[in-house]
Amino acid sequence: MFDLKEQVAVITGASSGLGRQMARAFAAQGADLVVMARRVERLKELKEELEEEHHVRVLPIQCDVTDTENIKEAAKKAESFFGHVDILLNAAGSAENNGVLNMSDDEWNFTIETDLTSVFKVTRAFAAIMKKNHYGRIINIASMYGLVGNTEIHTVAYHASKGGVVNFTRAVAAELAMDGITCNAICPGYFYTELTTETLDTDQFQEFARTHVPMQRYGKEGELNAGAIFLASKEASYVTGLIMPIDGGYTCI
């Protein structure tokens, strides 16, 4: 089960963080990859690593996921190179943190565009390719903050954007169900990435995690892999519209 050989997986935000972790996980299952991000040199390094270790084909594409024309060109390149796309993992994202009383319009717009509108634009481009073959697996990386609020850090636009991703996932799942395309979301809890390390390493936040996460720890690298591989698999053919928290129990209390 869960063999992804001969499958083509497109991963945004693959130059770092969760996107890079997911690229390694999918390659380990045999998937060929289209890795997308703005930092193309990192993508080329990842290509060399994955091709050598897992003997899969990797196509790196420099792409700004907020730029519609960039995304259209990336989709054309991916389809031209591989002939089909089977899996899309929307992992790119960034955020400006602030509370509702202090957040500027620019901070709000940046976060919504990067974390929500980009998911729409990338899904629109690659789902059109999937529809041609009546098959696809779309996985959106949302957040447990898309399901609940929090009292430790003020980040209202991030909550709003990830909540949008959650219901965008349900809408796409319903719309594309008859086209052989599933759409699901993973809602990670606290995991180390380039964007979160500074916050997670503070004594204050570590104490917060111990008192608010039932497992009393942050997630470890690789602990998202099983959920993503399951949702990307052929075996998950009757699973769509699922919102899957992987958060050490944060959202269950």
Side-chain angles (χ1 to χ4, degrees):
M1 296 179 72
F2 312 129
D3 183 359
L4 300 181
K5 291 176 183 174
E6 300 182 3
Q7 301 279 292
V8 175
V10 176
I11 302 177
T12 69
S15 63
S16 64
L18 300 183
R20 197 175 186 90
Q21 292 178 34
M22 293 295 99
R24 292 185 175 121
F26 284 5
Q29 298 303 115
D32 294 322
L33 299 174
V34 178
V35 289
M36 294 167 45
R38 287 176 297 180
R39 294 175 289 187
V40 70
E41 290 306 317
R42 287 196 175 193
L43 297 180
K44 290 177 180 178
E45 292 171 5
L46 182 62
K47 168 186 167 70
E48 292 180 6
E49 172 195 328
L50 297 181
E51 288 185 339
E52 180 178 349
E53 185 172 351
H54 299 293
H55 308 291
V56 297
R57 293 182 294 165
V58 180
L59 175 65
I61 300 178
Q62 186 173 30
C63 183
D64 178 349
V65 294
T66 66
D67 187 309
T68 300
E69 293 306 314
N70 256 201
I71 295 165
K72 288 180 180 178
E73 285 303 311
K76 288 179 182 177
K77 289 177 182 177
E79 186 176 22
S80 175
F81 189 85
F82 284 113
H84 60 101
V85 168
D86 306 290
I87 301 160
L88 169 63
L89 181 82
N90 282 306
S94 187
E96 296 287 350
N97 293 330
N98 223 327
V100 65
L101 301 181
N102 297 315
M103 175 159 278
S104 69
D105 288 357
D106 287 344
E107 289 171 329
W108 174 272
N109 291 335
F110 170 81
T111 305
I112 297 298
E113 183 177 19
T114 306
D115 284 357
L116 176 57
T117 306
S118 69
V119 175
F120 152 66
K121 290 181 176 181
V122 174
T123 299
R124 176 176 60 184
F126 285 94
I129 300 172
M130 294 174 174
K131 186 172 180 177
K132 295 176 185 179
N133 297 313
H134 200 75
Y135 182 87
R137 300 284 184 266
I138 300 169
I139 306 164
N140 299 321
I141 301 297
S143 169
M144 66 183 187
Y145 278 6
L147 302 173
V148 295
N150 90 97
T151 57
E152 187 63 16
I153 183 170
H154 294 157
T155 180
V156 66
Y158 185 75
H159 281 281
S161 66
K162 293 303 187 177
V165 170
V166 165
N167 225 36
F168 172 82
T169 297
R170 295 186 179 112
V172 172
E175 180 180 339
L176 301 183
M178 294 303 295
D179 295 308
I181 300 169
T182 66
C183 185
N184 298 286
I186 293 174
C187 295
Y190 298 125
F191 283 82
Y192 278 108
T193 68
E194 289 182 5
L195 296 176
T196 64
T197 295
E198 184 177 348
T199 299
L200 296 186
D201 273 346
T202 63
D203 292 340
Q204 178 184 353
F205 216 91
Q206 288 176 2
E207 178 59 27
F208 175 78
R210 279 192 292 270
T211 58
H212 288 73
V213 178
M215 288 190 176
Q216 299 184 354
R217 64 173 177 83
Y218 302 145
K220 298 175 183 178
E221 183 172 343
E223 289 189 317
L224 292 175
N225 294 359
I229 290 166
F230 165 67
L231 294 175
S233 69
K234 292 181 179 179
E235 288 82 0
S237 55
Y238 204 55
V239 179
T240 197
L242 175 68
I243 311 302
M244 180 191 291
I246 303 179
D247 62 3
Y250 185 96
T251 53
C252 75
I253 59 172

